[in-house]
């Protein structure tokens, strides 16, 4: 994936554990190409892993759309996770640390939100869920004169 003003999304199916690994690999590769540092890459891969797993487990499968961004000042990455599952009945509760509707730690949505710059959830019971996370490449601080 190459960054550009004309963002082209890569759509990846999420229907199995193997697909989760593929999504993680593609997110890391795209993030590296966009210039994200290793720590930022790890945060993006962690968020993608959580959101892709939610898509599979709670949404019954779906797809991830990975889109490189360029706003003219910096590059970024938008990740959308889309399913046609049952939706989230109580989004406020689902975003609470420790809440789980399964056997997990209850940090999926809230944890993923903390790892990115922008985060949104579009859901409605019976209509499915789309979770979108955006991160921007951190600007490298300019060096101070006389410090080497």
């Amino acid at each position: 994936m190459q960054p550009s003003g004309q963002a082209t999304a890569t759509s990846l199916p999420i229907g199995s554990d193997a697909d989760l690994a593929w999504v993680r690999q593609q997110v890391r590769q795209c993030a590296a190409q966009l210039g994200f540092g290793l720590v930022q890459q790890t945060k993006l891969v962690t968020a993608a892993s959580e959101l892709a797993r939610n898509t599979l487990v709670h949404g019954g499968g779906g797809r991830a759309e990975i889109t490189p961004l360029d706003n003219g000042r910096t590059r970024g990455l938008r990740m959308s996770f889309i399913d046609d599952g049952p939706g989230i009945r109580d989004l406020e509760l689902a975003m609470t640390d420790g809440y789980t509707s399964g056997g997990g730690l209850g940090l999926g949505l809230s944890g993923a939100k903390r790892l990115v710059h922008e985060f949104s959830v579009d859901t409605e019971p019976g209509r499915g869920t789309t979770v979108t996370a955006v991160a921007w490449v951190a600007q490298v601080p300019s060096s101070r004169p006389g410090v080497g």
Side-chain angles (χ1 to χ4, degrees):
M1 286 183 240
Q2 296 300 318
S4 71
Q6 302 291 327
T8 302
T10 298
S11 186
L12 304 168
I14 300 174
S16 69
D17 284 341
D19 292 335
L20 299 180
W22 182 242
V23 167
R24 287 190 299 268
Q25 180 181 354
Q26 293 303 302
V27 167
R28 182 170 301 280
Q29 179 181 355
C30 185
Q33 289 175 354
L34 288 167
F36 283 92
L38 186 57
V39 171
Q40 288 180 301
Q41 289 176 38
T42 301
K43 288 179 178 182
L44 282 169
V45 170
T46 300
S49 183
E50 292 291 335
L51 297 173
R53 180 156 299 284
N54 282 355
T55 301
L56 178 63
V57 172
H58 301 294
R63 71 184 187 281
E65 291 182 357
I66 302 168
T67 309
L69 303 173
D70 186 338
N71 67 6
R73 291 172 308 185
T74 189
R75 293 175 310 278
L77 183 64
R78 178 175 54 233
M79 307 179 296
S80 294
F81 298 85
I82 303 144
D83 69 62
D84 293 319
I88 301 171
R89 290 188 188 179
D90 187 339
L91 182 57
E92 187 175 338
L93 180 61
M95 291 296 298
T96 304
D97 283 349
Y99 172 78
T100 180
S101 60
L105 296 174
L107 298 174
L109 287 176
S110 61
K113 180 179 181 178
R114 284 191 298 273
L115 295 171
V116 297
H117 297 111
E118 302 167 27
F119 189 87
S120 66
V121 180
D122 179 18
T123 188
E124 186 176 309
R127 189 178 55 83
T129 302
T130 299
V131 179
T132 302
V134 176
W136 297 98
V137 174
Q139 297 298 311
V140 176
S142 56
S143 61
R144 293 179 291 167
V147 176

